[in-house]
Amino acid sequence: MAALEEEFTLSSVVLGAGPDGLLGVEHSDKTDQFLVTDSGRTVILYKLSDQKTLGSWSVKQGQIITCPAVCNFQTGEYIVVHDNKVLRIWNSEDVNLDKVFKATLSAEVCRIHSIQGTEPLVLFKEGAVRGLEALLAEPQQKIETVISDEEVIKWTKLFIVFRHPVLIFITEKHGNYFAYVQTFHSRVLSKYTLLLGHEEKTLIQSFTASVDRKFISLMSLSSDGSVYETLIPIRPTDPEKNQRVVRSLLLKAVVSGNARNAVALTVLDQDHVAVLGSPLPASKESLSIWNIKFQTLQTSKELPQGTSGQLWYYGENLFMLHGKFLTVIPYKCEVSSLAGALGKLKHSQDPGTHVEPHFVNWEASQGCGLGCQNSEQSRRLLRRRKIEVNLQPEVPPSKQLLLTIKKDSEKHIEVELRKFLAMTQTPDFHAITGDIVTGLLERCKAEEPSFYPRNCLIQLIQTHVLSYSLCPGLMEVALQKTDVHLLQLCLQQFPDIPESVTCTCLKLFLSIGDDCLQETDVNMESVFDYSGTVQDEKMEEQTKILQNGFNPKEDNCSNCDQELKEKPQDTTKETTSCPVIPKRAALLNAILHSAYSETFLLPHLKDIPAQHITLFLQYLYFLYLKCSENATMTLPGIRPPTLNQIMDWICLLLDANFTVVVMIPEAKRLLINLYKFVKSQISVYSELNKIEVSFRELQKLNQEKNNRGLYSIEVLELF
């Protein structure tokens, strides 16, 4: 269970915060004292227990504070940066910031981090990091550039891991996000590209993170209103290489997806996060606590005066700007349990009683019994047990994961899988990955329909090491579940899919309803904007251009033209707009990109219903018309179908189903258009063959020019 207690205002005086809210709230060296930095000129020291101001310092008029003030826990002094490069250090007895220690730096500062157990660290806007002492010894020292051009630092956090500081900062460039992890004991800087996974590209609005011994759990709140998690290893497998990490869905729709600002996210403990934002588009902003282990909302509090979209927490207090006042909301988070997450935890004790936890030394009690008096014998027994444990062989991570797959929940398997994929890849990684997929599919078939680890399967496909032969049951299960997104990924990644499976996927993509597709996640990279349509006049003009010398009088399809003139209103839509919705188009594009053998594919294409064949042909003809709109004969987008792929599939479909399609009235205009197109292409190639002879003669003449002078004028006549 989690609870938000009664809020209180830290100060009754309106803070001088600018439109961007506060720069930061940082803990001081005293237990209940906090430094608050506004986005203007002032730093204020508050005492939380008394709710009063202990001190206030301001820079001169015309100067502006650009970095939140922090406390140096080693000296008890305060540090702030104004005008990006000017660093000031003072203590609580100083009154005027203009008279305290000043150091002008050679580069602009992004953030100063200071936590217990290490000296303050200065992060510059170009990604370099310096310790405060080394920086003060030579303030004008050259600061190197770490991040690339146009990269901007969006968020940063400092942790202590194994008594050493570890800094992580997130950058953004053209909608792509990167994570940098700096470990100071080993002087290693690692870079990771944050892959968004299977969801469409979204704007990340807030970050937070927690750390354990091996991984940094980076959580992000995106513009779609959902919380995602990315596991970043503290010890990189290859520090010199830009590695990739995939984020996965943690909580869905915790705030309104229409919110463009005033949202924030912070992790409270290993099971709880606090979210600031509007839960519904028309609702007021609120503060809520979510249990990420059981994915349940624990408590929420409405904030009618609005917030700045900023949230800080220290100890058991949440800080935020409510209206224009700095507000503190104490909170309580109990140990996570299913009963507590569902709000059904029963307390047998009185509210005023406090029960001290009781711990039992199980090693000692098992070693010699609770009544044992011979401590030396107990120590010998414990030493022998430790030796026996150390002699036991260590279970490989892959086998540990396979054991987890057999018995644990989907959520736990997903977390363990992300940890496994973040480890160093061994030479047999592709075979191990195939075994993991097989283990998931075996349990999926045994516990159908309750167990279907879709997110795990997507992560494994995105490793780019799988093939159909390694996990033949994967696409079979996806077909049974009608999981078109998983099938799309398989078609894009697997090079050895049998033609029978490809045709089965094609049948599903053509038969599934539009309503079902609208609610399904599909990769839309290969689809361009279908809002523009091909106009009839433009099509006619294009046909004339393609004929390139072809005489319309020789066209013996006058009967076809006469039939087309009878019902023009029923056929215009087939050729002027895309016949399928964008998501179906993306799935059909995956089919076009798949590898096949014509000999093995043709028999299976004959089993597809005629109306679906007609729909596919209409889509292919639409793609051809789009290709013909530009001189390069290509489609826009990322990995769109090529002209060769479009033409090959038109030929395949007609070869396999022409006798059936020709009998369908709905396909008559399409077949006539294809007939005219083929005839015009034959004419084009015929004319090109004639021109080729002339070019050969020109080439021969060109070869005879070697004995000519430096300058000459020649007239060539072509007949």
Side-chain angles (χ1 to χ4, degrees), residues 96-353:
N96 190 348
L97 281 185
D98 194 40
K99 297 181 179 180
V100 302
F101 176 83
K102 170 185 174 183
T104 303
L105 308 178
S106 61
E108 295 186 353
V109 175
C110 174
R111 184 69 185 270
I112 301 177
H113 282 289
S114 182
I115 58 177
Q116 293 279 3
T118 185
E119 71 165 322
L121 298 173
V122 181
L123 173 65
F124 291 89
K125 289 186 177 181
E126 294 181 341
V129 184
R130 293 287 189 275
L132 181 64
E133 294 301 324
L135 191 61
L136 295 180
E138 190 181 354
Q140 285 296 310
Q141 61 183 274
K142 184 178 180 181
I143 304 300
E144 70 275 11
T145 298
V146 175
I147 61 179
S148 63
D149 295 339
E150 300 183 25
E151 267 188 85
V152 179
I153 297 177
K154 292 293 186 180
W155 177 86
T156 176
K157 181 81 172 178
L158 181 66
F159 300 99
I160 294 293
V161 182
F162 295 114
R163 300 181 182 178
H164 297 285
V166 175
L167 177 68
I168 178 175
F169 59 92
I170 308 298
T171 65
E172 184 267 339
K173 179 180 179 181
H174 303 317
N176 299 312
Y177 293 87
F178 308 92
Y180 293 81
V181 178
Q182 174 82 64
T183 54
F184 292 90
H185 69 288
S186 58
R187 304 288 181 181
V188 174
L189 177 66
S190 307
K191 181 180 179 180
Y192 300 88
T193 301
L194 303 182
L195 300 179
L196 299 186
H198 61 274
E199 76 276 2
E200 297 179 15
K201 181 172 285 191
T202 54
L203 175 67
I204 301 180
Q205 297 179 301
S206 181
F207 290 96
T208 187
S210 61
V211 67
D212 58 17
R213 291 178 176 267
K214 294 183 179 180
F215 296 94
I216 297 174
S217 174
L218 178 67
M219 302 179 194
S220 56
L221 179 59
S222 295
S223 56
D224 61 357
S226 300
V227 178
Y228 298 87
E229 182 185 32
T230 305
L231 291 178
I232 301 175
I234 296 175
R235 294 183 179 85
T237 57
D238 188 358
E240 301 298 327
K241 184 180 179 182
N242 182 5
Q243 302 169 80
R244 297 184 174 188
V245 287
V246 181
R247 67 176 190 165
S248 59
L249 182 63
L250 193 64
L251 293 171
K252 190 170 184 179
V254 296
V255 295
S256 170
N258 296 327
R260 291 289 174 235
N261 47 31
V263 295
L265 172 73
T266 187
V267 60
L268 304 179
D269 58 29
Q270 62 180 358
D271 294 328
H272 298 89
V273 294
V275 180
L276 187 66
S278 303
L280 297 173
S283 63
K284 296 181 179 179
E285 296 175 45
S286 64
L287 174 66
S288 57
I289 296 180
W290 288 76
N291 186 308
I292 57 178
K293 183 176 181 181
F294 298 107
Q295 300 186 2
T296 55
L297 175 63
Q298 298 292 279
T299 184
S300 64
K301 188 180 188 70
E302 193 174 84
L303 303 170
Q305 298 179 29
T307 72
S308 62
Q310 297 168 295
L311 185 63
W312 301 269
Y313 92 100
Y314 294 97
E316 294 186 342
N317 295 289
L318 290 163
F319 297 79
M320 73 202 67
L321 199 61
H322 187 197
K324 290 188 176 181
F325 293 85
L326 181 61
T327 302
V328 181
I329 302 181
Y331 71 92
K332 296 287 184 183
C333 288
E334 298 180 357
V335 177
S336 182
S337 65
L338 182 58
L342 297 176
K344 298 180 180 180
L345 192 63
K346 295 182 178 180
H347 299 277
S348 57
Q349 291 83 10
D350 294 332
T353 61

Side-chain angles (χ1 to χ4, degrees), residues 571-640:
T571 59
T572 303
K573 188 176 181 180
E574 291 183 2
T575 56
T576 59
S577 61
C578 183
V580 298
I581 63 174
K583 287 192 174 182
R584 193 186 305 277
L587 297 176
L588 295 177
N589 289 350
I591 294 289
L592 298 180
H593 281 294
S594 61
Y596 63 87
S597 169
E598 182 177 344
T599 304
F600 297 107
L601 183 63
L602 280 173
H604 298 288
L605 289 176
K606 295 179 180 179
D607 298 333
I608 301 178
Q611 63 270 26
H612 293 160
I613 291 293
T614 303
L615 178 63
F616 197 13
L617 281 171
Q618 289 171 347
Y619 174 64
L620 292 171
Y621 184 62
F622 170 79
L623 291 181
Y624 163 74
L625 292 177
K626 281 292 182 181
C627 281
S628 64
E629 288 181 355
N630 55 69
T632 59
M633 298 294 284
T634 58
L635 295 171
I638 302 174
R639 293 187 74 247

Side-chain angles (χ1 to χ4, degrees), residues 395 398-408:
V395 180
S398 58
K399 291 187 177 180
Q400 292 179 357
L401 181 58
L402 289 173
L403 293 174
T404 302
I405 289 172
K406 291 181 179 179
K407 57 183 180 179
D408 287 357

Side-chain angles (χ1 to χ4, degrees), residues 358-407:
H358 180 65
F359 299 96
V360 178
N361 188 344
W362 289 107
E363 287 188 346
S365 63
Q366 291 175 1
C368 58
L370 293 174
C372 178
Q373 301 297 326
N374 192 339
S375 60
E376 184 62 29
Q377 180 184 357
S378 173
R379 283 194 293 270
R380 285 199 301 268
L381 183 58
L382 287 175
R383 282 197 297 270
R384 185 163 63 249
R385 287 190 174 185
K386 289 178 181 178
I387 292 173
E388 292 174 355
V389 170
N390 292 334
L391 290 176
Q392 293 179 358
E394 184 179 356
V395 180
S398 58
K399 291 187 177 180
Q400 292 179 357
L401 181 58
L402 289 173
L403 293 174
T404 302
I405 289 172
K406 291 181 179 179
K407 57 183 180 179

Side-chain angles (χ1 to χ4, degrees), residues 44-56:
I44 304 175
L45 179 65
Y46 288 105
K47 186 174 183 181
L48 196 61
S49 57
D50 295 341
Q51 301 179 29
K52 68 177 184 179
T53 302
L54 298 182
S56 177

